[in-house]
Amino acid sequence: MPVDTSESDFEAAIVNTMTDEEGEAVSDPSVDYRAGSFTAGGYRQRDPGDYNRERCLIPEDLYDFVVATQPEEWNALKENVGGDAKTQFAQRVSREIDARGTLNVLRRGVNLYGCRFDLVYFEPSTGRNPELQEKYRANVFSVVRQLPYSTSTGHTLDLCLFLNGLPLFTAELKNPLTGQTFRDAIHQYRSDRDPREPFFQFGRCLAHFAVGSEEVHMTTELEGEDTTFLPFNRGYDGGAGNPPSAHGYRTSYLWEQVWTRDSVLNLLQHFIAKIEEVDGGEPTGEEKLIFPRYHQMRAVRRLVGDDRENGPGGRYLIQHSAGSGKSISIAVLAHQLAFLHDEDDASVFDTVIVVTDRRVLDKQIAQVILQFEQERGVVADIEEGAAGLGRALASGKRIVVVTLQTFPHVAEAIREQGQRDFAVIIDEAHSSQTGEYRKHLNDTLSASSLKEAEEEDETEDADLEDKIMAEIEKRGHQPNVSNFAFTATPKSKTLELFGEEQPGGGYEPFDVYSMRQAIDEGFILDVLQNYTTYNDYFRLLKRVEDDPRYDTKQASRLLKSFVSVHEHTIREKVKIIAEHFATKVAHRVGGKAKSMIVTRSRLHAVRFKRVLDDYLDEQGYAYDALVAFSGIVEDEGIEYTEASMNGFSDARTRSEFERDEYRFLVVANKFQTGFDQPLLHTMYVDKKLGGVNAVQTLSRLNRTHPEKEETMVLDFVNDAEDIQGAFEPYYERTTLQEGTDPNRLYDLEHQIREFGIITDRDLEEFAELWHEGGTQKELHSVLDRCVDRYDAATEEEQTDFRRQIGRYVRLYAFLAQVVPFEDVELEKLYILAKPLLSKLLARLDPSDVPEELVQYVDIDSYRIQESGSGSVEIEQGEEPLSAQSGGRPSSSGPSKSEEKPLSAILERLNEQFGYDFTEEDRVFIKQLKKRVQDHDAVQKSIEVNEESAARLTFDDVAEDELQGMVDRNFKLYRKITDNEAFGRMLFDFLFDRTLEEVREEAAEG
């Protein structure tokens, strides 16, 4: 007999599992919804004729549930209305669903003739009431095949799930063996399911599933062709889709786990909600039904289950990409943790504290709580700092939302609450205004301070993750506090503090929704799809006759900064940016595309904004630009602020950028994280990016928009390979290859002791004074003894010593949060080394390279050339981060350096930014040089004329000779003639050598 490949067989297989009277416990370790497992089975299979089309109910299920769970109330209703009780009751429930929706009716019940009826019993939070447990088990679940939903046509649905007679979920099933997939089911919902039918009224059915054997997609509202379906898949191999199943269908998790009785009741009680939609952080007045995506449901259930079983004190890292819906995940998790009870019926947490910089999140949490608990005032939004936080905790608020600025007070406020237990949920939503929290907010940066601008190029503001990690390190492990960290891009320290330790010694997140899966499923865009890199080439000329000597490394960095901030350089880049935007970008996203220019410092941002404004005016482009930076920048005697350059306050920059005329946003350490603007299509990068900072910055482009099909990046600084390397660890799952070795502390301790700068006596005295309340004078006396010995050491020893104690201080502060140390000697060294390091660093000179160096040079030529374009491919597979190694190499002292004449430094820079000549090119240039140098006119001109006049003759002859050699190397000939800067640079080089050699020959003759 041939295999049945029909949809009917697929449908029957699902229903048979759901209606198994014995029930089958389904425990899939890869799903791990809660501490226990769900049981598949226990549904009734109802005939299509049992369904009442006019009332959109199964009346018999409704009666059976009410009579079984509320017999006294039912008898009272019958006495009030007589024998027509069933009809009137069904009619009343149907009308209430029309008015309030199924979800509200299930949660709030209905009233009729003075009688109140509950229409569902959720799992009791405690086991103290056996009667409630019985009522929970009395809920009636039914499934109907080929449901005749329409009152006017004969159309049917493949499946519909009912709870106590009320419709919950529908499903259209497609079997690829018949040539159809879930996409055909989506098309069927959009094209053949009329949303005007009473059955499809918004809020009556809570979700509609398009189910194939490979994937599942769902929606909460049918809107014809405009219906939006979201993936409801587990993810596979780091990306979209589902893994193979031992049960035959990749989608079997849907009916074996998600649609089980316990799971559905858990979804209704804790996940599904109707809330007001938000656009750009502001409520729209329109409602939407929230049904969790698969990873949201999985993560929250796992977290709640683990805390129910293990109680407070855990640390959890949830690596969910942008586009994962973290706001809803956090809101649902906060609610469940706030009302969570353990197996002994005791509350697990007294208060849940949510740390975020997104003002919309507290509103969403409040909406979710009101949906689930029908209780106002559960959520406290704290904007008053420590005082407001203390009052909220003391008053017993269930959920408290605090900002980044208030978070440092959380640890102290928790300590003041004694033995109470807390859950702290950390939202990674990195502040888009990180520049506002800069340490030197009001510092003035002058244009002459190129060293400061260069330092800004390499210094990143600490983001929310860094700051919170620092606070957690300060307070240490707290057994009465569970921490839940949500981040898309966990750093090594975050992984080791919050990740799950693996048998091999590494660390992994507790739950993952990867960047790759988010891209595959269409929730974010691939920002590396169209990536273009540029190389810049410049030649510096010495403007003084002297040849002073400087530290090569520091001088090179300063000169590069000089080139990058030079107005000629910026104008060349602005020209590329503006023309690229006008021709390739402006028409994108329905003609509304916007761009961001990422600069390396505040000074760069000011100059980019000025030059860009001028260029747009010169070319008559109808685009405007905004700038974002912190503090005050002084350039050529004029003070600039973000507000003065934009024409309105800093607080309005984000909202003003939404206006149509603003197409460019020039930024310096602001809006590079946490800034969600779907119209942002292209990024122009003029800043070195690396690691997590590269991912966070470029990810500003990944937000979707109905008319946004792709993104673009033009990068003037970074190599494609470096960007690829930055993204790889975060593309699928971020893992830490191995934990930090605590024995590294002992190695550092031994190395520090070997210097002989810190003695046993110093450690003993300082520790005693520190713990017994010694005076500052006494503490400084001990430190000064160490400083005297330090001064007696060589400069190399001093540099090495500073680095070693710097690494020790950083590593000890970190490891103290991970490993319980009982070694008193390590603690003694830590409490002395920390202030000693500060004392030593304060005595260092800020720099040994004079900034007047830039006055000795000028830019002779500068050009930019595209070096690569296309998609930056990220290889599949996890790329682990490296462990903490005792901190980054200290910048507290100079490294070994080499002094060279300024001319040699310039030559080195020119080589670094010049062209890569082939051997054929080198032969061509040698031949050209010889022909020009041997020419009589050139030799005589050099002998009798000034250098400037000799140069004119040289150029004429060189151009003639070049024409005669065109056939020998046409490629290089085109480089010289088509690129003015390149030709001038080459002729300069040839003339200098010719001038030198002709004069040497004349002197010798």
Side-chain angles (χ1 to χ4, degrees), residues 68 317 334 385 477 613 683 816 833:
L317 176 61
H477 178 67
D613 285 346
M683 184 174 289

Side-chain angles (χ1 to χ4, degrees), residues 981-993:
F982 178 85
R984 185 169 63 248
M985 180 184 73
L986 179 61
F987 275 32
D988 288 344
F989 169 80
L990 295 177
F991 177 74
D992 289 343
R993 301 288 77 77

Side-chain angles (χ1 to χ4, degrees), residues 527-541:
V527 299
L528 304 183
Q529 182 181 6
N530 300 295
Y531 206 99
T532 301
T533 56
Y534 283 79
N535 286 337
D536 56 355
Y537 305 92
F538 61 84
R539 176 176 176 82
L540 300 178
L541 291 180

Side-chain angles (χ1 to χ4, degrees), residues 701-737:
L701 296 176
N702 67 19
R703 277 29 179 196
T704 59
H705 183 279
E707 297 177 277
K708 185 175 174 182
E709 298 178 356
E710 75 290 291
T711 65
M712 293 184 189
V713 179
L714 266 67
D715 195 327
F716 297 105
V717 178
N718 304 279
D719 294 329
E721 293 79 9
D722 295 336
I723 297 299
Q724 178 188 31
F727 269 78
E728 279 179 346
Y730 305 103
Y731 194 56
E732 293 181 6
R733 172 192 295 264
T734 307
T735 61
L736 186 62
Q737 196 165 23

Side-chain angles (χ1 to χ4, degrees), residues 467-487:
K467 294 174 182 178
I468 288 179
M469 292 307 105
E471 290 296 331
I472 291 174
E473 287 179 4
K474 283 182 186 177
R475 74 189 188 204
H477 178 67
Q478 295 172 292
N480 65 322
V481 179
S482 283
N483 289 284
F484 305 81
F486 282 77
T487 177

Side-chain angles (χ1 to χ4, degrees), residues 71-87:
E72 295 180 356
E73 204 74 7
W74 182 253
N75 288 331
L77 178 65
K78 286 200 299 183
E79 291 178 2
N80 290 338
V81 301
D84 198 27
K86 285 186 176 183
T87 302

